Amino acid sequence: MKTALITGITGQDGSYLADFLLSKGYSVYGLVRRKSKLDFNNAEHLKDKVHFIFGDMTDQASLIRAMEIANPDEVYNLAAQSFVTASWETPLSTADINAIGVTNILETIRLIKPKARFYQASTSEMFGKVQEIPQKESTPFYPRSPYGVSKLYGHWITKNYRESYGLYACSGILFNHESERRGEEFVTRKISTAVAKIKCGKQDILELGNLDAKRDWGHSEDYIKAMWLMLQQETPDDFVIATGENHSIREFVELAFKEVDIEIEWHGLGAKEYATFKGTDKAVVRVNPQFYRPAEVETLLGDPSKAESDLGWKREVSFLELVKRMVDHDLKWIQKS
Ligand code: NAP
Ligand code: F7E
């Protein structure tokens, strides 16, 4: 039986990956942060199946302890401060967790179990102001946020430990992937919960930032399989994981409201004009510059052909199905609450 250690197990991807590895017969260990209130977030259902170890990416002693307890064959480093907007508010802790944290865990592997295979959660945000369309493994990077910059360090230090010490270390350059377990501050989940609340009469208006930004969106359950496949190859390598199609935020909003048969009234009104707005039967979607970013990633589009040919990976959930699954889930959730 193989053993895996997952950092970020309480997050979207970590929890799906744990489900997947358990279904493959793995013994799974997960690193969990100490908080004032014990909270397993997306891993609540895993409490009896996974061995949780308290630790933090910024505390190398805790990583050494976790490696000694778990003695893993595979380490999946999914822990991160993953919200791009928050990275301008907390740039230093973002760098501590997403950049230095990766060195902490790589050093720990090198010292304690250099044979363990390592997966690093790299991101399409490293392409930022894109230098080529579509983006592939060889596309030059141009990150546009403290988050993107911190992840670029994590990406290169992973490559460096592979080349310096011969570790089996891979980075998956994953494009946006969403799900019913996505954090509510990310745009897709913000939209799907708002649609559900508006349908149930519990919210009046959906306020968003840049509606024209485009993302290459897949489902997390497809993407975590690619992480596992990367660690099952003969030699370690880096791969772009994407769908090969992109859509705007506006398109996501349109499809989500269509799912519940509600028409949209788009508003560019400022706060003053909006105060005198008389109301409508339709759902109001309003642009609020508060949600604009200091520097935006306007468009991302990945080329997954290397992963498809070398790993035999292919996404299964279509864009339409992704929107439908998220809205259906949130509708049930809001109706129940
Ligand atoms: P997520 O839902 O935000 O999960 C992040 C996880 O990291 C949570 O379990 C969180 O724990 C943990 N964490 C944060 N800071 C930590 C620290 N200092 N020490 C230990 N654990 C810490 O993110 P996700 O969407 O699943 O993404 C997984 C990884 O893939 C992240 O590294 C992200 O940057 C990267 N990524 C995501 C996407 C995407 O579209 N989802 C695309 C490319 C790359 P708490 O529950 O305690 O907060
Ligand atoms: O924004 C625009 C926003 O926050 C997507 C993380 O998983 O994927 C994620 O990062 C787009 C941006 O995700 C709102 O300006 C408009 O253009 O859902 P997001 P992200 O920044 O793409 C990458 C690959 C990661 O690695 C990250 O960890 O949507 N947008 N209006 C908005 N975004 C938010 N959050 N809220 C809005 O109201």
Side-chain angles (χ1 to χ4, degrees):
M1 191 209 288
K2 275 196 194 170
T3 299
L5 171 64
I6 303 174
T7 73
I9 194 162
T10 56
Q12 170 187 258
D13 292 2
S15 60
Y16 279 122
L17 179 65
D19 291 338
F20 177 74
L21 294 179
L22 287 168
S23 77
K24 290 211 159 290
Y26 276 67
S27 168
V28 177
Y29 289 77
L31 192 80
V32 185
R33 278 197 284 185
R34 149 88 187 128
K35 279 177 256 178
S36 61
K37 186 173 176 283
L38 194 61
D39 170 19
F40 291 95
N41 194 1
N42 283 308
E44 192 63 39
H45 66 291
L46 294 167
K47 275 197 310 211
D48 300 331
K49 300 175 190 155
V50 160
H51 311 274
F52 290 113
I53 305 171
F54 284 97
D56 194 296
M57 293 307 295
T58 61
D59 179 340
Q60 201 195 356
S62 74
L63 299 180
I64 291 174
R65 189 174 159 271
M67 278 295 289
E68 283 174 346
I69 294 172
N71 188 27
D73 302 297
E74 296 171 7
V75 178
Y76 295 87
N77 183 35
L78 310 185
Q81 189 302 91
S82 73
F83 189 39
V84 172
T85 301
S87 74
W88 278 282
E89 291 150 3
T90 57
L92 297 179
S93 62
T94 298
D96 265 354
I97 301 166
N98 299 3
I100 303 303
V102 187
T103 312
N104 286 339
I105 193 145
L106 282 165
E107 265 298 291
T108 305
I109 291 172
R110 183 178 78 81
L111 293 170
I112 296 192
K113 193 167 183 192
K115 282 211 157 51
R117 295 187 167 203
F118 177 74
Y119 173 85
Q120 167 59 17
S122 287
T123 165
S124 52
E125 280 293 302
M126 300 186 309
F127 294 124
K129 190 172 176 182
V130 298
Q131 304 294 296
E132 183 179 28
I133 299 173
Q135 295 84 56
K136 46 184 185 281
E137 291 77 6
S138 56
T139 302
F141 299 118
Y142 194 139
R144 292 273 281 171
S145 63
Y147 170 79
V149 175
S150 70
K151 281 285 183 176
L152 191 51
Y153 175 95
H155 183 76
W156 280 109
I157 200 72
T158 300
K159 204 177 172 76
N160 182 262
Y161 269 58
R162 179 166 80 216
E163 292 174 359
S164 304
Y165 302 116
L167 296 190
Y168 189 109
C170 308
S171 287
I173 308 174
L174 271 52
F175 281 62
N176 296 55
H177 46 282
E178 319 292 313
S179 75
E180 301 83 327
R181 296 184 192 171
R182 186 58 141 155
E184 286 168 52
E185 66 275 41
F186 297 93
V187 77
T188 56
R189 191 79 199 284
K190 180 174 170 183
I191 297 167
S192 65
T193 51
V195 165
K197 285 183 184 169
I198 289 171
K199 178 72 179 175
C200 296
K202 293 185 176 171
Q203 185 173 324
D204 296 329
I205 173 170
L206 168 58
E207 289 193 324
L208 294 167
N210 181 7
L211 296 172
D212 298 318
K214 285 186 160 183
R215 289 292 182 272
D216 179 329
W217 278 301
H219 195 288
S220 172
E221 271 185 303
D222 282 345
Y223 285 46
I224 55 96
K225 290 179 192 155
M227 299 175 187
W228 175 77
L229 281 169
M230 280 181 223
L231 296 200
Q232 314 310 312
Q233 306 305 306
E234 250 172 51
T235 47
D237 204 352
D238 304 329
F239 292 90
V240 160
I241 304 298
T243 70
E245 62 179 81
N246 66 8
H247 301 271
S248 65
I249 313 301
R250 192 186 299 277
E251 277 176 85
F252 197 105
V253 173
E254 283 167 350
L255 283 176
F257 276 106
K258 203 166 166 205
E259 194 51 37
V260 293
D261 281 327
I262 294 182
E263 275 185 65
I264 303 167
E265 192 161 309
W266 299 95
H267 279 254
L269 296 179
K272 238 181 174 174
E273 296 94 324
Y274 193 76
T276 59
F277 171 63
K278 294 273 187 295
T280 170
D281 290 343
K282 298 177 184 168
V284 173
V285 180
R286 180 177 169 219
V287 172
N288 184 341
Q290 179 199 323
F291 298 108
Y292 290 164
R293 295 175 177 184
E296 177 64 293
V297 172
E298 291 294 347
T299 182
L300 288 171
L301 178 65
D303 174 359
S305 42
K306 180 176 164 190
E308 288 175 357
S309 64
D310 294 9
L311 302 177
W313 177 83
K314 200 152 184 63
R315 69 92 179 242
E316 280 162 30
V317 181
S318 68
F319 177 61
L320 196 63
E321 214 179 321
L322 171 71
V323 179
K324 194 175 155 37
R325 272 174 69 162
M326 291 181 72
V327 171
D328 288 355
H329 171 274
D330 284 343
L331 205 50
K332 285 194 194 110
W333 171 51
I334 298 299
Q335 279 163 350
K336 221 165 60 183
S337 63

